[in-house]
Amino acid sequence: MKRLSKPLSEIDGPYEAIVVGSGYGGGVAASRLARMGLRVALLERGEERLPGEFPDTPAEAMRETQVHSAGGHLGRATGLFDLHVGDQINVLVGCGLGGTSLINANVSLRADPRLFADPAWPTGVGDDDLAAGYDRALTMLKPRPYPDGGPDWPKLNKLEAMKTAAPAFRVPLSLPPINVSFSAGYNPAGVWQPACNLCGDCCSGCNTGAKSTTQMNYLPDAAAFGAEIFCGVAVRSVSAREGGGWCVHYAPLSLGREGFDAEEPIVTADIVVLAAGTLGSTEILFRSRERGLAVSGRLGEGFSGNGDVLAFGYNNDPPIDGIGFGQDSPRYDYRSDSRRPVGPCISGLIDLRAANEGAADVERGMVIEEGSIPGGLGPFLPGVMAAVAAALGTDTDKGDFFAEKAREIESLVRGPYHGAVNHTQTFLVMSHDGAGGAMTFADDRLAVEWPGVGEMEGFKHVAANLEKAVAATGGTYVPNPIWTELLGHDLVTVHPLGGCRMADEASEGVVDGRCRVFAGNEGAAVHEGLYVCDGSIMPRSLGVNPLLTITAFTERAMIKLAADRGKTIDMTPAAQQAPDAAPTTVGIRFTEKMAGRVVPAGGGAPSDCHFVVTVIAEDADRLLREAGHEAELIGTLHLPAVSPDPLTLEGGRFNLFTETPDKAATKLMEYRMPLTTADGRDFHFLGRKLIHDDPGLDLWSDTTTLFVKIYGGTDDRAPLAYEGTLRIDPFDFARKLTTMTVTNAPNLLVKLNTLRKFSMFFAGQLFDTYKGLAPAAAPETTAPAG
């Protein structure tokens, strides 16, 4: 499929609408705003990964894990698995283009209709537009149950075990609708998807492309209608723009800017939709409130883990086949492989929301789903599961001790696809928890707190039901290892909800029934054009996988937004999209900071001035080969004489070692930066480094000194406003070297060769100028294929 994201250097505001985040809320919002004919930008903090690029080994899984805790942040800021360690409740979400849809099980269940009778919801949410939202969500996501027993579709052992367990609850087993393709073809967004190969690796990212994440439907639909998608953009806050609309303050990740204490660039739009997930959108509004935005005092309240419980049935009598195939997943073919298929992560459901369990009290309803564990975690499981089962497990069938020990030894010796681990069932339960948690914000860090949550009676009721399910297949019931008395009964949720909950007025919630942000602590007044559309708006637990309801509510919000603004959402079916035939180029980028002083052109007091910019060459060979040696520039410039806020650089150009026709034996490094202030004024920055062999050792001075002119307009034909000199501090120069990064390299060899070619080109140019201070070398211009 085509890559959807554009280089950060192509961010070019103002936009009519900006969407922050790319999960179910962000995907829907971007698609529908683009279909209204608006100019849309979507900003995603994570990376774009295509099928085949998701982690499938223990080493890759570790590299793609980031952890937020009271002690700080560990791991890459764009790691796929984003774990937030809170006070008695922990949250796991996805980070990447597609959000948590990349790592969830894609179950599309409607919430129990009785939940909408709860007065926690604002008036009128269950209207015809919500029904239309559900219909549109189902049309785009196209969920369907696993074709159990259908032609060419085998029985799944983990599903057969659930069939054995269901009679213990006096309900039939259900096959839930899941967003997975079971026949190859074009999906409703016009994207070609292969059929599921039953590899079981849904929750580490689908490397076959059969899982219908937002990356496969809403996001390509948005791009097809003109939305511009940018990855590696962490939105920090929003602020009102003078004259109307919004400023979105962001930090470009993975560009090495953090060490330079760089200001946050700004991009503007009339409409902003925060869809960064329950944690992300709440954090952005907290930070925005600290910076002056009026927001309800209810921000952060009403956090729910959706009653999530994770547990295991270890070492069951029948085989389960619940471990994905990891590195073998893309090549696995259940039709010809001797290994039994795992199947989609969740394919079976024991629904206890109605008959027996939930008929009288909706709060006691729950759903029990089986699952699979990604193959990348498989090597850890034999030892871990044996130890945890011995310490915490409850053996529901003590009559087969020797058979169980034999399977345990087999798993320890032969690995997770044999013995006890291969006989282990994973369970995920969704229930109700009262939404009594809270998110707080201090020292620029979001924290999740819920003292005593694990002690709630509802979770003990869930545990009793899970033990009953495990007993049906003769296994050992193993609760989530951290849900123990020793560890304070901490919980883990993969379905965080609340924090920006809906309400009729600001004294009760953060957004109204149309997802518009309230403009203060009281009343129903809202910020025009500022929305939140994700799980954070839910005022309570849903008791099922929440993706379908989040999608439907966002569809509803977009229907109402279009009506409010006199727009029509073009619902024409998407055209079939051709595969991307363009080869991916290997690029290079680096970040630098320069600082100094400039003086007004007409005289006056000098002003401090500094910039932090990233030089981006999407095609490193082209940068070295063409005479202009041109790359792109993005970043910010700080000039207090013009604005207390940073000036944002968009569409800048950098030229490396170009010839100067008017000066012999002199070369230029040139910086051209179109700059925009937060209030919309334009400036143009022109900076030049003159590389010339003057008497004495002047290489350092020439390569670190920039002569600057700043014009009061859109280009250098405008009146000159300031001029001066900026320089690189030696410490910043050393930091600059650490930011040198090769992008899109298929392997380490290509990465190292690209760095070598760039270094030799740079050294060769200096040699030509300074005659012997650096070794000469002619750059190669073609990277090796492998």
Side-chain angles (χ1 to χ4, degrees), residues 350-664:
I350 296 175
D351 191 343
L352 303 180
R353 293 178 294 167
N356 303 315
E357 290 281 338
D361 183 1
V362 68
E363 299 296 336
R364 286 178 63 83
M366 68 182 72
V367 295
I368 303 174
E369 300 170 346
E370 38 70 70
S372 61
I373 298 175
L377 301 179
F380 301 116
L381 295 177
V384 170
M385 290 301 302
V388 173
L392 306 176
T394 301
D395 190 352
T396 64
D397 181 8
K398 301 184 185 301
D400 59 350
F401 174 84
F402 293 106
E404 289 177 352
K405 281 299 177 184
R407 289 196 297 266
E408 190 167 89
I409 293 171
E410 181 184 12
S411 191
L412 290 167
V413 172
R414 300 183 64 191
Y417 301 104
H418 306 275
V421 172
N422 193 53
H423 285 240
T424 294
Q425 182 81 285
T426 301
F427 292 101
L428 179 61
V429 175
M430 278 138 280
S431 58
H432 297 287
D433 57 17
M439 286 176 277
T440 60
F441 190 75
D443 300 324
D444 205 46
R445 187 183 71 86
L446 186 80
V448 183
E449 302 174 350
W450 200 342
V453 59
E455 303 285 353
M456 293 172 62
E457 285 299 316
F459 292 114
K460 297 174 183 177
H461 183 48
V462 170
N465 276 339
L466 285 171
E467 187 170 340
K468 185 190 300 186
V470 174
T473 50
T476 295
Y477 167 63
V478 179
N480 177 350
I482 69 171
W483 192 67
T484 63
E485 185 174 351
L486 178 64
L487 296 177
H489 289 101
D490 282 11
L491 296 175
V492 176
T493 179
V494 293
H495 300 129
L497 303 172
C500 300
R501 59 186 182 183
M502 309 177 90
D504 284 320
E505 58 181 44
S507 61
E508 298 297 328
V510 179
V511 302
D512 71 359
R514 295 171 175 244
C515 299
R516 301 175 297 187
V517 177
F518 286 125
N521 289 318
E522 303 289 339
V526 297
H527 289 294
E528 180 64 28
L530 182 60
Y531 294 76
V532 178
C533 292
D534 53 31
S536 69
I537 68 171
M538 298 298 156
R540 56 156 300 133
S541 56
L542 296 175
V544 294
N545 312 69
L547 77 85
L548 186 63
T549 300
I550 293 170
T551 306
F553 267 90
T554 308
E555 290 276 17
R556 176 181 181 270
M558 294 300 104
I559 291 171
K560 293 186 179 298
L561 184 155
D564 290 344
R565 293 176 176 260
K567 299 287 185 180
T568 299
I569 302 176
D570 180 0
M571 297 304 293
T572 304
Q576 295 179 0
Q577 299 187 25
D580 193 357
T584 300
T585 58
V586 177
I588 195 164
R589 68 185 181 215
F590 58 87
T591 298
E592 69 177 359
K593 177 179 180 179
M594 300 192 74
R597 309 192 88 186
V598 295
V599 296
S607 173
D608 291 336
C609 179
H610 73 258
F611 66 67
V612 178
V613 298
T614 301
V615 178
I616 302 174
E618 295 294 334
D619 187 336
D621 284 338
R622 181 177 178 181
L623 169 71
L624 304 183
R625 180 178 64 248
E626 294 185 349
H629 305 303
E630 188 168 80
E632 298 166 317
L633 281 176
I634 63 172
T636 54
L637 180 134
H638 184 66
L639 183 56
V642 168
S643 172
D645 298 314
L647 283 71
T648 299
L649 160 62
E650 295 176 348
R653 315 304 297 176
F654 171 75
N655 295 93
L656 180 66
F657 294 126
T658 57
E659 301 291 341
T660 54
D662 55 337
K663 290 187 179 181

Side-chain angles (χ1 to χ4, degrees), residues 292-315:
L293 182 69
V295 180
S296 168
R298 296 291 188 177
L299 181 64
E301 295 182 3
F303 176 85
S304 168
N306 202 37
D308 280 3
V309 175
L310 175 69
F312 305 92
Y314 175 67
N315 205 352

Side-chain angles (χ1 to χ4, degrees), residues 713-763:
T714 57
D715 56 33
D716 58 7
R717 292 173 294 183
L720 180 65
Y722 297 90
E723 57 184 337
T725 304
L726 307 184
R727 291 182 172 85
I728 299 178
D729 179 272
F731 291 104
D732 287 334
F733 181 80
R735 190 176 291 116
K736 167 184 173 178
L737 297 179
T738 68
T739 68
M740 190 76 66
T741 304
V742 174
T743 59
N744 296 324
N747 54 52
L748 181 60
L749 179 61
V750 173
K751 179 178 181 178
L752 294 176
N753 191 51
T754 302
L755 286 172
R756 178 187 66 82
K757 289 188 295 181
F758 182 82
S759 300
M760 295 304 291
F761 169 79
F762 199 94

Side-chain angles (χ1 to χ4, degrees), residues 55-100:
D56 54 17
T57 66
E60 290 176 355
M62 290 295 292
R63 182 176 182 272
E64 290 293 343
T65 299
Q66 56 175 311
V67 181
H68 303 258
S69 69
H73 178 266
L74 295 175
R76 298 167 58 244
T78 57
L80 177 64
F81 307 109
D82 191 359
L83 177 63
H84 294 252
V85 179
D87 182 2
Q88 299 193 30
I89 188 164
N90 308 300
V91 182
L92 178 65
V93 294
C95 176
L97 188 63
T100 302

